[in-house]
Amino acid sequence: MRVPLSWLREYVDLPATETGRDVQAKLVSAGLEVETVEHLGADLKGPLVVGQVLTIEELEGFKKPIRFCTVDVGQANGTGEPQEIVCGARNFSVGDKVVVVLPGATLPGGFSISARKTYGKTSHGMICSGDELGMGDDGSHGIIVLPPETEVGKDAIELLELVDEVLDIAVTANRGDCLSIRGVAREAAIAYGLPLSDPALLDVPGPNAYGYPVEVSDPLGCDRFTARTVTGLSPEARSPIWLQRRLQKVGMRPISLAVDVTNYVMMELGQPLHAYDRSLVQGTIGVRRATEGEQIKTLDGVERKLHAEDLVITDERGPIGLAGVMGGANTEIADHSEAEGTTDVVIEAAHFDVVSIARTARRHKLSSEASRRFERGVDPAAAAAAAQRTVDLLVLLAGGTAEAGVTEVVTPSAPHTISVPADHPDKVAGVSYGRETVVRRLQEVGCDVYGQDELIVTVPSWRPDLQEINDLAEEVIRLEGYENLPSTLPRPPAGRGLTRRQRLHRRVGRVLAGAGYVEAPNYPFVGEQVFDQLLLDADDPKRRVVKLTNPLNDEEPALRTSLLPGLFGALRRNDGRGSHDLALFETGLVFLPREEQKIAAVLPVDRRPTDEEIAELDAALPEQPRHVAVVLAGAREQAGWWGKGRPADWADAVEAARVVAREAGAELVVRGGQYGPWHPGRCAELVVGDTVVGHAGELHPRVVKAFGLPARTSAMELDLDALEAAGDDTPQAPRISTFPVATQDVALVVDKFVPHAEVEAALREGAGELLEGIRLFDVYENEEQLGDGRKSLAYALRFRAGDRTLTVDEASAARDAAVALAGERTGAVLRA
């Protein structure tokens, strides 16, 4: 809501020294969000005067029409001689009154004016348009043409009210009253402790039997409808400059007098109005719900198909307007430029249901100034005053006559009252305001307050957002100043911190980031077609999903059972944008439906739920284990002077799983496997105890193609909760022995299909407690030396005792025992 300070001062006698910044500070303190203060004409410098065009000479031989004009500016130029000006605009004629800027002036934007030679003539100034003066669009798209009665030589800065300050207020959804000058003025009056000159306090005649006939068929949708008629309007009458300028300052474009007046009153009082050309309205005006499929052409020229819930204004022909949103084209007020202008109008000032208007505006994607106000709440008691104000202005500015008939259809309703303890705001704020302060503040916002310890508060009609006692408490607190509330930091109980699950989650993120992975969180929504792209079996448990009742996207109506689809999407987007060497990770929940579906009970809000109620709620929710996943593509190590670098491969994905397992303190066994999206020959099964907790390796080429991933992309996914349950994350300090290490190397020949993990496990067990570490450092294949289908695995074994130096015989015996057990379990033999 844009609020000119000059307009605001009409209703609140602000101190003359108060600037827009001062008013902004006061309103912000009172709870209104004043985003900016715009200084109109801040860099404008005269002379800027009214001139009358005396002659126009058309200059030939140029690419565009150019006119050489002489303009009478009175004594403003110091000589009284006509001013010679070159102008390219075409929307003015000899005798018109225009705005002239003379040499020495400065226009908005720092544009200095001086005499200059152009198109073979010397131009002593400019004839101005609205845009050049920073006025905004006046509908002419050209030179400002002033009314004929405007005095030549008059200061145009004062005439056009070019210097002003405009407050731009972001009005929240519950404060519809502040979408008007009246509402903001009320807040300013309270903030400054000054009286309000309420523009809605008018003498309004009561309803009678002579008004325009109106029939309201839906009193719930329209609880108040006021109709007034004005006849004999001058078709040539135009909006005066002051009215046009005020509309421009609040962000609206002047159109025609009747329309401008209704817009002006809406901005002034907050009550949307509509003016119908009386000659185009046939019979009784009605308010009803639309018939399904009924059509109307609105003022924006769009033919709209109506819904049965739409509230419409009708006459004998059918709909003539979308109630509270936009009028119909078949009763549109004629523009003053048209040959046959409107002379008789019917003024509508009504109050419509908030929800109905909001749904209609969204259904038809048609947001208007009227719908914005009705959606946020309009003062129903202001309808008659707004209609009267419109009638008065039309009579004053267009020479019309107000008919005596007044129509007012009202659905009776009692005012909203709230019973609130006088000390309730004190308890909410933690401040002792006292009863007198509470009563005074509530009365300032317009409430009627009675009672002593228990206050009976009658809410004003312009504040429909005040519904219960906490709303009243908030009014007292904001007017007393949020900045005056005490600031108290909460004191958490000692001994509490992150849970074990939270600590593991953070450590996993840190260790993966340290290993070169970048976190890429994704939305938890998937489409069921993704499981076919992942090559999952028809009976795979991951195909069972939790479906959303109101999905954000119809193509992704389910919650994920795997983190991989989201990471694949992130990898594809980044690769498509030129980042080809990628290592991404994500930790997050997956959602697995339970075998027995239960309906969650609605928990009470007046007390803390019991442990049993919370347990029942948890039992109705899907299982939500936390997973961790990585995806890699491109180079894992960059090439440079230090070496050739290497691409990311399946081993990096497996190593990421080992890194995560070490953080969880779990013993992870890696063995060959085959599952869904992974390449059958390059997939590792990740096992803790007897449970498979995940998979890692290179993705299947079909999966790579289906998701649009780079070739040879690798991935890993682990059940982080399963690792936590199996692991022990108690910190272990490193133990440094004072005794030397004994190193023994062995090379074992096994069949190609024997996994390295099985050979290593046998060596570990066979070597016993003296084995400190084991490392595979070479894999060798040669049919001539080893035989067909055989390979050599070379291991470095490190032996150490904690209480003595090992002898060669002890180290050799441990090595031989390890080799013997490996031979027994895997068929391994020492390589000659």
Side-chain angles (χ1 to χ4, degrees):
M1 176 67 191
R2 291 171 57 85
V3 180
L5 191 59
S6 59
W7 199 351
L8 188 66
R9 288 182 182 275
E10 282 197 8
Y11 310 127
V12 184
D13 188 17
L14 298 173
T17 57
E18 288 294 283
T19 66
R21 293 291 184 190
D22 298 329
V23 178
Q24 177 189 30
K26 285 284 189 179
L27 293 179
V28 168
S29 179
L32 293 185
E33 185 180 350
V34 184
E35 294 186 325
T36 60
V37 178
E38 183 179 353
H39 298 268
L40 302 181
D43 51 357
L44 178 63
K45 176 185 175 184
L48 189 72
V49 298
V50 175
Q52 184 173 21
V53 180
L54 300 178
T55 65
I56 297 177
E57 177 187 349
E58 301 288 346
L59 302 182
E60 305 293 340
F62 300 102
K63 293 182 180 180
K64 61 180 182 178
I66 298 297
R67 313 167 93 186
F68 181 65
C69 311
T70 59
V71 185
D72 178 14
V73 295
Q75 297 298 317
N77 57 4
T79 66
E81 296 295 323
Q83 201 80 2
E84 296 179 340
I85 299 175
V86 175
C87 184
R90 314 290 296 176
N91 69 312
F92 64 95
S93 306
V94 173
D96 283 346
K97 302 289 181 64
V98 294
V99 178
V100 179
V101 57
L102 300 177
T106 303
L107 293 183
F111 182 50
S112 298
I113 302 299
S114 61
R116 62 189 183 95
K117 191 167 183 178
T118 178
Y119 298 104
K121 300 284 186 179
T122 300
S123 182
H124 299 272
M126 285 176 51
I127 301 176
C128 297
S129 68
D131 287 338
E132 289 165 339
L133 298 179
M135 294 171 56
D137 183 16
D138 62 357
S140 66
H141 305 290
I143 294 302
I144 301 170
V145 179
L146 300 172
E149 64 273 12
T150 309
E151 178 186 350
V152 172
K154 184 177 178 63
D155 184 358
I157 295 178
E158 179 183 349
L159 175 69
L160 299 177
E161 302 177 13
L162 296 179
V163 178
D164 202 350
E165 292 182 277
V166 179
L167 309 175
D168 193 352
I169 303 175
V171 179
T172 55
N174 66 318
R175 291 302 304 272
D177 60 305
C178 288
L179 285 173
S180 67
I181 304 297
R182 178 196 184 201
V184 177
R186 183 181 292 108
E187 291 296 316
I190 297 172
Y192 279 93
L194 296 171
L196 170 70
S197 298
D198 192 343
L201 294 180
L202 302 174
D203 290 330
V204 179
N208 53 52
Y210 311 110
Y212 198 92
V214 173
E215 181 180 348
V216 177
S217 303
D218 190 338
L220 295 179
C222 176
D223 58 8
R224 185 181 294 264
F225 194 108
T226 300
R228 300 289 298 275
T229 304
V230 181
T231 60
L233 301 179
S234 172
E236 294 80 22
R238 297 178 57 186
S239 301
I241 293 174
W242 65 266
L243 193 150
Q244 293 187 48
R245 288 296 295 134
R246 286 193 170 179
L247 289 178
Q248 288 173 330
K249 289 177 184 179
V250 298
M252 301 193 76
R253 180 173 64 87
I255 299 173
S256 64
L257 178 59
V259 176
D260 292 349
V261 166
T262 58
N263 286 336
Y264 177 86
V265 175
M266 175 179 66
M267 289 297 176
E268 183 180 52
L269 301 182
Q271 167 66 53
L273 302 109
H274 189 71
Y276 302 94
D277 188 328
R278 182 175 180 178
S279 65
L280 300 178
V281 180
Q282 298 180 11
T284 301
I285 291 178
V287 183
R288 61 170 171 82
R289 298 290 172 174
T291 303
E292 188 69 37
E294 209 169 10
Q295 293 190 341
I296 181 176
K297 186 176 182 180
T298 46
L299 289 174
D300 56 358
V302 178
E303 195 77 34
R304 301 183 185 277
K305 188 176 182 180
L306 301 178
H307 188 275
E309 291 185 5
D310 291 335
L311 199 63
V312 292
I313 311 298
T314 65
D315 65 3
E316 291 180 352
R317 297 165 296 175
I320 59 174
L322 267 177
V325 180
M326 186 174 286
N330 53 355
T331 57
E332 182 178 6
I333 296 292
D335 188 86
H336 62 78
S337 62
E338 298 181 20
E340 296 182 3
T342 299
T343 58
D344 301 339
V345 297
V346 178
I347 306 299
E348 166 209 309
H351 185 260
F352 301 110
D353 175 59
V354 171
V355 175
S356 177
I357 301 305
R359 288 179 177 173
T360 295
R362 283 157 180 74
R363 187 180 297 117
H364 295 283
K365 297 180 175 63
L366 185 60
S367 179
S368 64
E369 292 290 345
S371 68
R372 285 182 62 218
R373 283 160 176 78
F374 280 121
E375 289 174 23
R376 289 161 175 78
V378 169
D379 180 5
Q388 182 63 46
R389 177 74 164 137
T390 304
V391 169
D392 292 343
L393 287 173
L394 289 176
V395 170
L396 174 67
L397 303 176
T401 301
E403 288 195 351
V406 177
T407 302
E408 192 164 343
V409 180
V410 180
T411 301
S413 61
H416 181 52
T417 60
I418 304 171
S419 177
V420 54
D423 61 349
H424 182 69
D426 301 9
K427 295 178 179 178
V428 173
V431 176
S432 180
Y433 292 124
R435 179 188 177 280
E436 297 302 322
T437 298
V438 171
V439 171
R440 175 172 56 85
R441 288 303 190 182
L442 292 179
Q443 288 175 338
E444 285 178 346
V445 299
C447 297
D448 290 331
V449 184
Y450 303 95
Q452 291 299 317
D453 295 338
E454 190 74 18
L455 303 179
I456 305 300
V457 181
T458 302
V459 175
S461 59
W462 57 82
R463 291 299 302 273
D465 58 307
L466 302 181
Q467 294 292 323
E468 48 103 14
I469 60 174
N470 287 324
D471 297 330
L472 300 180
E474 183 180 0
E475 290 299 295
V476 174
I477 295 168
R478 76 175 181 88
L479 294 178
E480 284 294 305
Y482 291 121
E483 68 276 10
N484 296 323
L485 292 177
S487 178
T488 305
L489 293 176
R491 296 183 179 181
R496 294 187 181 183
L498 299 178
T499 64
R500 182 188 176 197
R501 188 171 190 245
Q502 291 169 330
R503 289 197 301 270
L504 176 60
H505 180 209
R506 294 193 180 187
R507 289 204 314 274
V508 167
R510 284 195 293 266
V511 73
L512 288 176
Y517 291 86
V518 177
E519 187 171 15
N522 295 284
Y523 288 117
F525 311 119
V526 295
E528 293 184 79
Q529 73 281 354
V530 77
F531 302 121
D532 295 329
Q533 297 173 324
L534 290 173
L535 305 181
L536 299 185
D537 294 336
D539 59 348
D540 193 297
K542 288 188 178 180
R543 284 184 176 269
R544 295 185 63 243
V545 294
V546 177
K547 291 189 177 180
L548 300 171
T549 303
N550 55 341
L552 297 179
N553 185 347
D554 291 338
E555 296 180 359
E556 296 179 332
L559 293 174
R560 66 188 178 190
T561 57
S562 168
L563 302 182
L564 292 180
L567 280 177
F568 291 167
L571 182 73
R572 180 179 64 252
R573 285 191 297 274
N574 285 277
D575 181 70
R577 294 169 183 170
S579 299
H580 304 302
D581 304 325
L582 294 162
L584 308 178
F585 84 93
E586 180 180 7
T587 56
L589 302 179
V590 298
F591 305 86
L592 310 176
R594 300 180 187 271
E595 293 296 333
E596 181 183 356
Q597 297 292 332
K598 297 182 178 180
I599 298 177
V602 178
L603 297 182
V605 295
D606 58 342
R607 59 175 174 81
R608 184 190 183 281
T610 64
D611 294 341
E612 292 75 14
E613 289 172 332
I614 295 176
E616 290 179 7
L617 179 63
D618 288 340
L621 297 175
E623 295 181 19
Q624 302 175 56
R626 187 179 296 278
H627 281 203
V628 58
V630 305
V631 60
L632 307 98
R636 185 62 176 144
E637 295 178 2
Q638 296 291 337
W641 58 264
W642 53 84
K644 295 182 179 180
R646 68 174 183 85
D649 61 15
W650 62 269
D652 294 300
V654 173
E655 180 58 25
R658 289 196 174 103
V659 167
V660 173
R662 282 196 293 270
E663 283 299 313
E667 184 178 348
L668 187 71
V669 176
V670 180
R671 66 191 186 195
Q674 182 173 342
Y675 181 70
W678 282 276
H679 193 295
R682 298 166 189 160
C683 174
E685 195 173 65
L686 309 175
V687 182
V688 172
D690 297 327
T691 305
V692 176
V693 296
H695 294 83
E698 184 180 316
L699 294 176
H700 196 290
R702 286 166 57 190
V703 174
V704 170
K705 182 178 179 180
F707 285 94
L709 306 178
R712 309 298 295 269
T713 297
S714 298
M716 178 276 292
E717 183 168 13
L718 269 174
D719 186 337
L720 198 54
D721 284 354
L723 283 181
E724 178 194 355
D728 180 7
D729 61 353
T730 303
Q732 300 291 333
R735 185 172 62 87
I736 301 176
S737 176
T738 58
F739 298 98
V741 65
T743 303
Q744 298 273 357
D745 293 345
V746 295
L748 303 178
V749 179
V750 296
D751 291 336
K752 281 187 177 181
F753 65 83
V754 176
H756 140 70
E758 292 185 10
V759 178
E760 180 181 316
L763 289 173
R764 285 184 181 277
E765 185 177 343
E769 295 181 355
L770 295 179
L771 182 67
E772 182 182 74
I774 181 171
R775 178 174 61 88
L776 175 68
F777 65 86
D778 184 54
V779 178
Y780 177 71
E781 296 181 7
N782 188 306
E783 291 186 2
E784 294 182 1
Q785 296 184 15
L786 303 178
D788 186 22
R790 305 281 282 176
K791 64 181 178 182
S792 170
L793 303 176
Y795 294 90
L797 306 179
R798 292 168 57 87
F799 298 98
R800 195 194 313 255
D803 57 350
R804 67 188 187 283
T805 299
L806 292 178
T807 64
V808 174
D809 291 340
E810 287 178 308
S812 297
R815 180 202 61 191
D816 293 341
V819 171
L821 187 59
E824 178 184 335
R825 291 189 176 176
T826 66
V829 296
L830 275 174
R831 180 180 169 189

